[in-house]
Amino acid sequence: MEEDIDVSSHSEGLNGLSRECKPGDDITNGHSNHKPVMNGLIVSHNVNDHTNGSTPLTSLPISALKQNGLLQTLSAGGDQLQAAEENVELEKAREEWDALENVQPALCEDSNPTPIISFNEALQFFQTTDLGDLLKNIQPTIRRTGLAAITHFLFGPPRLHRELLEERDLVFAIAQCHVDNSQTVHMRVLQTIYKRLIGSRLDCPRFGAHWEHIGFQGTDPATDLRGTGFLGLMHTLYFVMDPETLPLARDIYKLSQHPTQNFPFSVMSINMTRIALQVLREEALSKECNRRQQVVGVLNEFYVATYLHLYQLWKTQQKTIVDSGFVLKEVELFAKKNPKQMLRRLEVFLKERRAGGIPRGTSPDPQAQQASPSLGGRAGTGLGSRGKEMHFTGVCDLPPDMEGEARLI
């Protein structure tokens, strides 16, 4: 529907535009026939001004329209709209840039990555640190009373030599130590574990989902170390830094990423530390420690032997995360009863690997892939962690009477 607008150029109007002055512009019946002017255009609302709506509009030249206030306003509004859009884009870009400044990226290869740390260097740090307050809270042996104490004295394992007590106490003190973000050694241990497992030379952020990739339960590894304290990281550090055990560590890590047999590598490692600590506390390793005249070295090897035992069970019997509680319980019971056999198995395993053969218990064997009754008979269920979400309890944070039990929630 055409708009009722009459434009004429007979006389000068507002804004330099002509105004229509027809002979009937006088007042008739109290009404004026004068056409109102808006921004230089004469507007008529009288439908009688047109015949069948076909009266043509009288147009103005472009040069005259350029002086028209309405056209100038529309033109200026277009420029303002464009400027506003540009300001919005600029503000959006600025906000995106500000957001980028808050992201903590991994360091690039050109920036100086944190140097890896050896187990001995990390151990020396704790040997030269005052741990007096932590030593007050340790429990290096099981407290026995009455008949249990007499039986243990007569038939139990030998006592640890006096000259090894200080080294044993240091182990339990480290197990009371928390991760300190301000300690360079602590941060280097975390970075070294991550780099050696992933095979990277680059540092990673202190917090983030990347820690879940190596088997921690969240974005902060420290939250999984309850009970074993920093000793849980020290054992993993030993595992990945010893040239002989690093291939085994990577084999276990690879299995932990399996589509159906996956498990949290680091949390499982902390459970192996928990078991090793308990065996040491029950003095089942005292005989071997006395023979070698060391505690830390024996405990490190026993930790690796325990993880090897779990790895062989998990792989050959095709265990999944739903079997983890049964497997942990079986491994713990076997480790407490057969510490010497565990260490012997590790020795044979490493010897066979050095010789270039395939160590026994690591290759899939159809005859060995039968469900173990003691492990709940749940082999081949095919349920991974994605099928049913399960979380390990905080290691070693169980009540004393349940300390020997491996539980999942």
Side-chain angles (χ1 to χ4, degrees):
M1 177 177 174
E2 295 182 355
E3 187 176 354
D4 297 331
I5 301 175
D6 291 334
V7 181
S8 180
S9 58
H10 295 299
S11 60
E12 293 295 324
L14 296 179
N15 297 320
L17 298 180
S18 58
R19 179 176 61 86
E20 181 180 2
C21 298
K22 294 182 180 179
D25 260 354
D26 54 340
I27 299 176
T28 305
N29 297 327
H31 297 283
S32 173
N33 291 328
H34 174 70
K35 304 299 186 295
V37 179
M38 180 181 295
N39 290 314
L41 298 179
I42 302 172
V43 182
S44 172
H45 299 285
N46 189 352
V47 295
N48 296 326
D49 289 345
H50 304 282
T51 304
N52 298 326
S54 59
T55 303
L57 288 173
T58 304
S59 61
L60 291 174
I62 295 300
S63 60
L65 287 174
K66 288 182 179 179
Q67 301 175 4
N68 185 279
L70 178 61
L71 184 62
Q72 291 174 359
T73 302
L74 291 175
S75 177
D79 294 338
Q80 292 173 0
L81 180 60
Q82 183 179 2
E85 291 176 350
E86 292 176 353
N87 289 336
V88 170
E89 292 297 325
L90 181 61
E91 184 64 25
K92 184 178 179 181
R94 184 180 291 111
E95 291 175 356
E96 291 176 350
W97 179 258
D98 291 340
L100 284 176
E101 293 180 347
N102 295 326
V103 176
Q104 185 180 11
L107 299 179
C108 62
E109 293 191 29
D110 294 335
S111 56
N112 298 320
T114 303
I116 62 175
I117 187 171
S118 67
F119 177 85
N120 287 337
E121 184 180 353
L123 179 62
Q124 187 177 14
F125 166 80
F126 287 103
Q127 289 173 331
T128 57
T129 300
D130 183 10
L131 302 177
D133 292 338
L134 298 177
L135 289 169
K136 297 176 184 178
N137 302 319
I138 66 173
Q139 184 183 342
T141 58
I142 297 294
R143 295 188 180 97
R144 298 177 175 89
T145 57
L147 183 60
I150 296 174
T151 303
H152 180 74
F153 178 79
L154 294 176
F155 306 104
R159 291 178 177 272
L160 191 68
H161 290 170
R162 184 178 298 273
E163 60 269 19
L164 298 178
L165 295 181
E166 183 178 351
E167 185 178 350
R168 179 203 62 187
D169 292 349
L170 174 65
V171 168
F172 285 99
I174 296 174
Q176 296 284 332
C177 185
H178 301 293
V179 175
D180 186 351
N181 294 335
S182 65
Q183 279 289 352
T184 303
V185 169
H186 288 203
M187 297 301 100
R188 287 177 63 194
V189 169
L190 277 172
Q191 293 288 346
T192 299
I193 291 171
Y194 182 83
K195 293 176 186 177
R196 297 285 278 186
L197 282 176
I198 298 297
S200 171
R201 293 183 299 162
L202 307 181
D203 285 351
C204 62
R206 170 65 180 85
F207 303 98
H210 51 276
W211 293 113
E212 298 176 20
H213 297 162
I214 63 171
F216 288 102
Q217 292 188 110
T219 59
D220 181 8
T223 59
D224 290 329
L225 296 173
R226 296 181 300 273
T228 63
F230 209 86
L231 186 66
L233 294 179
M234 289 291 287
H235 277 165
T236 310
L237 178 67
Y238 171 82
F239 203 9
V240 300
M241 286 302 294
D242 188 291
E244 282 199 320
T245 60
L246 175 60
L248 173 60
R250 286 179 171 165
D251 286 345
I252 299 176
Y253 175 69
K254 182 178 179 181
L255 179 63
S256 75
Q257 305 295 306
H258 192 274
T260 58
Q261 290 189 266
N262 57 82
F263 57 87
F265 174 89
S266 294
V267 173
M268 192 69 82
S269 172
I270 295 168
N271 272 272
M272 299 303 101
T273 297
R274 176 188 63 81
I275 293 173
L277 268 177
Q278 188 64 17
V279 174
L280 179 64
R281 183 179 282 117
E282 294 183 4
E283 302 177 84
L285 292 177
S286 295
K287 184 176 181 180
E288 187 65 19
C289 290
N290 291 339
R291 186 180 73 83
R292 299 194 198 180
Q293 283 298 293
Q294 58 176 307
V295 175
V296 173
V298 172
L299 190 65
N300 286 345
E301 289 186 20
F302 188 77
Y303 152 82
V304 176
T306 306
Y307 214 162
L308 171 63
H309 185 62
L310 179 137
Y311 168 66
Q312 291 174 332
L313 284 176
W314 201 279
K315 183 172 184 179
T316 59
Q317 297 183 12
Q318 295 184 337
K319 299 301 176 183
T320 67
I321 193 66
V322 297
D323 304 309
S324 55
F326 300 101
V327 176
L328 283 171
K329 184 64 177 178
E330 176 70 11
V331 170
E332 183 171 351
L333 291 175
F334 188 85
K336 288 180 178 180
K337 294 180 180 179
N338 306 280
K340 184 176 181 180
Q341 185 178 347
M342 294 273 289
L343 291 169
R344 176 60 181 165
R345 283 184 177 181
L346 175 63
E347 181 182 353
V348 172
F349 176 89
L350 296 177
K351 183 178 180 180
E352 290 178 349
R353 174 159 259 169
R354 282 194 301 268
I358 300 177
R360 287 172 290 180
T362 58
S363 59
D365 182 358
Q367 299 298 324
Q369 292 178 2
Q370 303 298 323
S372 171
S374 62
L375 298 182
R378 308 191 59 171
T381 59
L383 294 176
S385 60
R386 297 178 182 85
K388 182 177 181 182
E389 186 140 354
M390 302 185 71
H391 298 282
F392 287 87
T393 57
V395 247
C396 278
D397 57 354
L398 302 173
D401 57 333
M402 297 182 182
E403 201 167 26
E405 298 186 18
R407 295 190 175 189
L408 295 173
I409 56 174

